[in-house]
Amino acid sequence: MSAKAGRIMSSEGKARVTLHVVSSLDGFIARKDNSVSWLDGYGTVYEAGVSISEEEAAAFVKAIDCYVLGSRTYEHALELGWPYGDTPTVVLTARKLPSTRKSVEFYSGDLETLLVEKLAPRYRNIWLVGGAILSQRFLELGLVDEIRLTIAPILLGDGLRLFGSSLTEQRWVLKNVVAYKNGFVELSYSASTV
Ligand SMILES: NC(=O)c1ccc[n+]([C@@H]2O[C@H](COP(=O)([O-])OP(=O)(O)OC[C@H]3O[C@@H](n4cnc5c(N)ncnc54)[C@H](OP(=O)(O)O)[C@@H]3O)[C@@H](O)[C@H]2O)c1
C-alpha cells in the first residue's frame, strides 16, 4: 500500500500529517550551534497582526493527537524543556535512547510503515515537528498533507537549513496566512493533487 499524502486512513477517518516548522527569513531552523533562542518573541509589534489567547493556544494544542520528531529534536527538546506535554510522541532513532517520559515511544525504520501501521490506526491529527532531516524524509516520501511554515522576522546568516538540497520539485497550495503581532507569519499549504 502506498501512503501518499492524503491517503492515509485511520480507523475513525483520514489521518492527516501536518509538518510544522519555524524558519528564519533566510531559511534556517536552528543556529549553527543548534540554539533556537531566536524563536522567542522580540517585543516588536505589528499593529495589523493577531494575537492568540492562552485559552486558544491550549485548545489548539489539545487537538493534536500525536507528535513525531527526529532524535536530535528530541534531545534538544529535553534540554530546553519538554514542550509536548503528555501528548503521545514518537521519536525516530536507530540508537538506544533513554526513555524519559511515558508518552514517548521510539521507532526505527520505514516511515510509510510507521504511518500506515502504527500511527494512522490510532491518531488523526499527527504533527511532524522536525527537525530538518526527518522533515525532508517525510516530504521526499510524499507523506505530508499540510505544511505550516512560520517565518520569524530575523536573518540568521548561517545554521541548519530548513530543507536540504535533495528535494525534487513539488507544488503546494496556499491555504491560509496569519500574521501575528510579534511579527511572525504563519503560512499553511496543502499538498497539491496535480
Ligand atoms: N525551528 C524549528 O521549528 C525547529 C523544529 C525542530 C527542530 N529544530 C532544531 O533542529 C535541530 C535538529 O534537527 P536535525 O535535522 O539535526 O535532526 P532531526 O531531524 O531532529 O533528527 C534526525 C535523526 O532522526 C533519526 N531518524 C530519521 N529518520 C529515521 C528513521 N527512518 N529511522 C530511525 N531514525 C531516524 C536519526 O536519528 P539517530 O541518529 O538517533 O538514529 C537522525 O539522525 C535541533 O537544533 C532542533 O532544535 C528546529
Side-chain angles (χ1 to χ4, degrees):
M1 173 180 178
S2 171
K4 291 292 177 206
R7 286 199 271 142
I8 304 162
M9 305 299 284
S10 75
S11 52
E12 292 168 35
K14 198 187 275 182
R16 243 183 116 64
V17 177
T18 300
L19 164 58
H20 180 250
V21 67
V22 187
S23 168
S24 65
L25 282 170
D26 47 349
F28 297 107
I29 67 162
R31 288 197 186 101
K32 222 176 170 182
D33 65 0
N34 250 355
S35 66
V36 287
S37 54
W38 54 275
L39 292 174
D40 301 336
Y42 310 127
T44 51
V45 176
Y46 171 54
E47 290 297 346
V50 299
S51 52
I52 50 170
S53 66
E54 278 182 23
E55 291 77 25
E56 285 168 320
F60 185 83
V61 166
K62 205 169 166 216
I64 296 172
D65 297 319
C66 165
Y67 290 102
V68 178
L69 41 149
S71 65
R72 296 192 203 171
T73 298
Y74 168 68
E75 289 172 312
H76 206 194
L78 289 177
E79 256 174 67
L80 296 176
W82 189 248
Y84 309 112
D86 293 328
T87 303
T89 299
V90 177
V91 175
L92 276 289
T93 184
R95 290 178 287 153
K96 189 100 192 105
L97 292 177
S99 182
T100 48
R101 308 180 67 92
K102 270 194 185 151
S103 56
V104 172
E105 60 180 294
F106 299 101
Y107 178 89
S108 176
D110 184 67
L111 297 178
E112 188 167 325
T113 306
L114 167 70
L115 274 177
V116 175
E117 292 182 9
K118 281 181 80 81
L119 301 184
R122 290 193 279 165
Y123 309 117
R124 288 193 63 161
N125 190 11
I126 300 164
W127 276 51
L128 168 64
V129 289
I133 294 173
L134 190 59
S135 302
Q136 189 157 331
R137 295 203 178 140
F138 267 78
L139 286 168
E140 281 163 1
L141 293 166
L143 299 176
V144 177
D145 296 285
E146 180 179 346
I147 296 175
R148 283 203 188 204
L149 175 61
T150 302
I151 307 290
I154 187 169
L155 290 167
L156 290 176
D158 200 359
L160 179 63
R161 284 231 158 268
L162 167 62
F163 303 130
S165 53
S166 71
L167 285 174
T168 51
E169 191 173 306
Q170 296 176 9
R171 286 189 185 218
W172 287 77
V173 181
L174 182 66
K175 289 293 183 182
N176 199 28
V177 178
V178 183
Y180 292 96
K181 281 219 180 306
N182 64 1
F184 285 59
V185 179
E186 186 182 80
L187 307 164
S188 301
Y189 299 89
S190 67
S192 171
T193 49
V194 291

